[in-house]
Amino acid sequence: MARLVDPLVVGRVIGEVVDLFVPSIFMTVAYGPKDISNGCLLKPSAAAAPPLVRISGRRNDLYTLIMTDPDAPSPSDPTMREYLQWIVANIPGGTDATKGEEVVAYMGPRPPVGIHRYVLVLFEQKTRVHAEAPEERANFNTRAFAARHELGLPTAVVYFNSQKEPANRRR
Amino acid sequence: MDCLGGSGRRRQQEPEQLPPMTPLPLARQGSVYSLTFDEFQSTLGGAGKDFGSMNMDELLRSIWTAEESHSVANATTSAAAAAAPIQRQGSLTLPRTLSQKTVDEVWRNMMCFGAHSDAPAAAPPPPAQRQPTLGEITLEEFLVRAGVVREDMTAGPLVPPAPASAPPPTLPPQLPMLFPHGDVFAPLVPPPYLGNGFVTGAAGQAGGAAASVVSPVGPVTSNGFGKMEGGDLSSLSPSPVPYVFNGGMRGRKASAIEKVSERRQRRMIKNRESAAKSRQRKQAYMMELEAEVAKLKELNEELHKKQVEMLEKQNNEVLERMTRQIGPTAKRICLRRTLTGPW
């Protein structure tokens, strides 16, 4: 049953961030020891450092990884959709994100209100990309960026949820 | 005079009379207040000036003179006649703010406030009683809305000037009745509201008595009105909601309450949305987990199989090795007799 409808569709990632695509690359994103699975809840503190993103693919191919928050500043009022968290370009296939070029420095989740989705999208590049960092992180558009650099449809997408940690620890 | 003096008469007769909603014929009303501005002007024999530019003060004075002449003309019970002048004295006082204004200004203010109070309000604007022009409004309506203060009148609960469902004609018979009523009620009504002394209260009572309407301030008002209706002299329950200061701003109280309910509704809608989102998230995660479980199960099975295969292979390998080695080393493995010992 779960296979019939993608969690990405149910979580509205496909639709709001990317379009329907066919995954062709395996990507694992790990904050710490555990891999994240779609829709899992992560604490912002746990995601403060850039994750280890491993991808499959051929050595010759280059990939671009984009991480955004489509629910900024609040899921019920996403006026800053999408908020750019990270861009790494020119990642060689079969390696990880550290082997690429960080176009936009990693910013960990900082959800002020509500539960935000943080989406990591992997694109296959046709050629070497010389991407310029956008002026501001807010109101980023993944689709537009992909169109501008001819990235086409994504090859892999994963997302997780994060919400503000309560200030006081519950006793 | 019928209206004022007739209070006693009418109160007793009230239940048997026509139902409150039925307009009484003009003759019975006999009150100046029930006339519209136009009619009032004509009754004065054209002597009434153009009301628009008239001061509120002047307007009231002309009304009083009209009343007087009216009451003299009308045949009423002696008690009523006696009561009339006395009551008339104290009947109307103007707040200072109003007396200097002209009728036109007051009218405009009323219309403005009417618009304001209606705009945010969920309640439909009272249809019939929003007389569009000054000429068509009855005098009492106008006075009531303008917030002309009645000294002895202590407040009934607040109600928008024109309760939505009450047709205009019902107001006149009740209001003149109530003006004197206010006198009677005065001692019974709780003092705190004396200072406010709103005609709005009168209007509210009028509206309520006339229509028994569920206004936006429904539960509060109906209390007071029920008592009024029955000619009950028990004191009106003090409204827990604070009063506004003149008739023109009456609409704000109603709109304040409406704002609160609006806020509540908005909150509820937001809550529902976030609940729906939460459910969606949960569902997405569940599906993801199910997918992973399925994947892992598959993987597990595969690994199991592989493991079994491997084991088998291992066993086979040993055997194979054995069989392989039979050839050259067969002799070595088999027990061999090297020497036959002497038995």
Side-chain angles (χ1 to χ4, degrees):
Chain A
M1 205 35 83
R3 303 221 194 127
L4 295 179
V5 189
D6 200 338
L8 293 176
V9 173
V10 178
R12 301 304 309 141
V13 172
I14 291 179
E16 289 172 10
V17 185
V18 294
D19 300 313
L20 199 56
F21 68 99
V22 177
S24 53
I25 298 289
F26 280 120
M27 174 170 73
T28 65
V29 179
Y31 284 101
K34 263 193 356 184
D35 288 354
I36 61 172
S37 50
N38 283 323
C40 69
L41 191 66
L42 237 63
K43 285 194 202 158
S45 51
L52 188 58
V53 183
R54 286 212 187 90
I55 59 174
S56 64
R58 291 188 312 226
R59 202 62 196 225
N60 308 337
D61 295 333
L62 296 172
Y63 296 88
T64 299
L65 176 73
I66 302 178
M67 176 171 165
T68 63
D69 170 7
D71 296 325
S74 155
S76 46
D77 184 33
T79 51
M80 296 209 266
R81 172 177 291 175
E82 309 149 34
Y83 193 85
L84 185 61
Q85 311 276 138
W86 201 23
I87 297 185
V88 186
N90 303 320
I91 307 170
T95 64
D96 61 81
T98 56
K99 309 287 186 293
E101 298 165 18
E102 198 179 51
V103 178
V104 174
Y106 178 80
M107 180 194 273
R110 257 172 245 171
V113 175
I115 303 184
H116 294 218
R117 295 164 292 173
Y118 291 90
V119 186
L120 289 109
V121 188
L122 188 76
F123 292 97
E124 183 171 333
Q125 294 170 210
K126 295 196 175 85
T127 59
R128 193 155 195 96
V129 157
H130 303 281
E132 5 56 66
E135 298 161 359
E136 52 163 4
R137 290 178 183 257
N139 298 110
F140 180 78
N141 192 318
T142 305
R143 287 184 179 105
F145 187 88
R148 222 176 321 142
H149 299 279
E150 294 182 334
L151 298 173
L153 288 177
T155 57
V157 172
V158 80
Y159 83 99
F160 64 94
N161 294 320
S162 194
Q163 66 176 350
K164 192 171 181 181
E165 285 163 276
N168 297 324
R169 283 276 169 103
R170 267 193 237 153
R171 304 215 173 178
Chain B
M1 178 160 172
D2 235 27
C3 68
L4 304 172
S7 62
R9 187 163 44 101
R10 206 168 286 171
R11 216 187 319 141
Q12 292 137 23
Q13 291 178 352
E14 237 268 283
E16 321 150 57
Q17 267 181 2
L18 315 155
M21 297 296 273
T22 324
L24 297 174
L26 204 59
R28 296 218 76 202
Q29 297 167 1
S31 158
V32 168
Y33 293 98
S34 57
L35 299 175
T36 64
F37 264 46
D38 281 346
E39 290 167 350
F40 183 43
Q41 203 155 354
S42 55
T43 55
L44 284 185
K49 307 175 260 174
D50 176 28
F51 287 114
S53 45
M54 207 194 289
N55 241 349
M56 292 294 283
D57 264 347
E58 295 177 32
L59 177 66
L60 285 177
R61 260 179 244 125
S62 43
I63 291 176
W64 289 343
T65 47
E67 267 187 42
E68 221 174 337
S69 53
H70 215 176
S71 61
V72 166
N74 274 344
T76 61
T77 65
S78 53
I86 301 170
Q87 286 167 339
R88 208 226 324 126
Q89 296 295 335
S91 66
L92 298 166
T93 55
L94 280 177
R96 264 183 231 123
T97 53
L98 273 189
S99 57
Q100 301 313 312
K101 288 190 183 169
T102 67
V103 171
D104 258 354
E105 285 177 37
V106 175
W107 175 248
R108 251 177 268 130
N109 279 344
M110 279 190 327
M111 289 290 101
C112 278
F113 277 118
H116 283 289
S117 66
D118 283 349
Q129 287 190 321
R130 293 251 157 242
Q131 277 91 354
T133 67
L134 187 52
E136 294 171 38
I137 197 175
T138 64
L139 288 174
E140 68 204 357
E141 252 283 77
F142 176 81
L143 292 172
V144 150
R145 283 203 216 167
V148 173
V149 171
R150 175 149 177 72
E151 276 177 342
D152 330 298
M153 230 22 197
T154 53
L158 194 62
V159 142
S165 45
T170 65
L171 195 58
Q174 304 297 334
L175 189 58
M177 176 179 78
L178 286 172
F179 267 139
H181 269 199
D183 261 355
V184 182
F185 284 172
L188 299 176
V189 183
Y193 296 119
L194 258 178
N196 298 348
F198 297 133
V199 162
T200 62
Q205 291 152 359
S212 300
V213 137
V214 180
S215 66
V217 204
V220 176
T221 59
S222 48
N223 261 344
F225 296 148
K227 291 172 186 169
M228 289 291 288
E229 268 293 296
D232 211 353
L233 295 188
S234 58
S235 56
L236 304 163
S237 52
S239 164
V241 185
Y243 275 34
V244 297
F245 297 118
N246 62 55
M249 297 175 62
R250 229 177 314 164
R252 278 210 198 145
K253 186 202 176 186
S255 70
I257 292 185
E258 283 151 1
K259 270 185 206 152
V260 168
S261 68
E262 234 191 86
R263 228 176 282 148
R264 234 179 274 148
Q265 252 200 311
R266 253 182 273 142
R267 185 87 199 106
M268 187 178 72
I269 291 174
K270 263 195 182 177
N271 209 353
R272 288 222 182 110
E273 277 181 24
S274 57
K277 275 208 197 102
S278 178
R279 266 178 264 133
Q280 196 188 63
R281 245 181 277 129
K282 184 178 181 182
Q283 195 190 12
Y285 191 43
M286 273 310 287
M287 297 178 110
E288 173 70 21
L289 288 182
E290 283 174 359
E292 273 215 46
V293 164
K295 245 194 290 170
L296 290 174
K297 272 197 184 153
E298 266 195 58
L299 198 62
N300 211 6
E301 282 229 24
E302 276 192 42
L303 290 175
H304 248 298
K305 271 195 204 153
K306 267 196 179 169
Q307 197 193 25
V308 168
E309 281 181 27
M310 293 296 283
L311 274 175
E312 279 207 36
K313 250 193 177 177
Q314 270 187 21
N315 291 341
N316 289 346
E317 262 191 19
V318 172
L319 278 173
E320 272 176 35
R321 205 181 287 156
M322 284 169 50
T323 52
R324 252 182 284 138
Q325 286 166 349
I326 281 178
T329 57
K331 284 193 180 165
R332 246 193 273 151
I333 295 171
C334 302
L335 284 170
R336 261 217 281 174
R337 259 180 178 204
T338 50
L339 271 175
T340 317
W343 317 37

